[in-house]
Amino acid sequence: MPRNDSLDVGELTDTSYYILLSLMEPKHGYLIMKSIEELTNHSVVIGPASMYTTIKKLLAAGLIELFDKSEKKKVYVTTKKGVELVRKEIERKRIMIQHGEAILENKGE
């Protein structure tokens, strides 16, 4: 049975999530990677291959768009659809955390 891509079911991988967050302001590839590292205090590091593969998927899904293109750099930005998916993902993860906390609290250890 083939696995669905997380974007197909309206969920974000950690990489997609952080790229969309980073692109709330227009950025090019290197700046995307560096801003994610800064945001996460270097706990999340996304390499170029993973980032550009994810960018292609986000572009195809309409979650980001090309903002500007110069000779050497492509600058991307999150679309309204991308912002909405980030909001939904935050709420989904908030509920997941509540479930986990409730179970651990009931465990009583």
Side-chain angles (χ1 to χ4, degrees), residues 54-108:
T54 304
I55 283 175
K56 286 179 186 176
K57 290 178 182 181
L58 295 172
L59 281 167
L63 300 173
I64 64 171
E65 63 189 4
L66 190 60
F67 181 79
D68 189 29
K69 183 179 178 181
S70 71
E71 223 174 89
K72 295 183 180 186
K73 296 177 186 173
K74 290 182 181 177
V75 176
Y76 303 96
V77 69
T78 303
T79 63
K80 288 180 184 178
K81 181 179 175 183
V83 171
E84 186 56 36
L85 186 53
V86 168
R87 290 178 202 261
K88 286 179 183 177
E89 185 70 5
I90 290 169
E91 185 57 29
R92 184 180 80 82
K93 289 186 180 200
R94 185 176 288 129
I95 291 167
M96 289 172 65
I97 290 168
Q98 289 170 353
H99 293 155
E101 287 175 339
I103 288 171
L104 289 175
E105 193 174 296
N106 289 335
K107 189 157 175 62

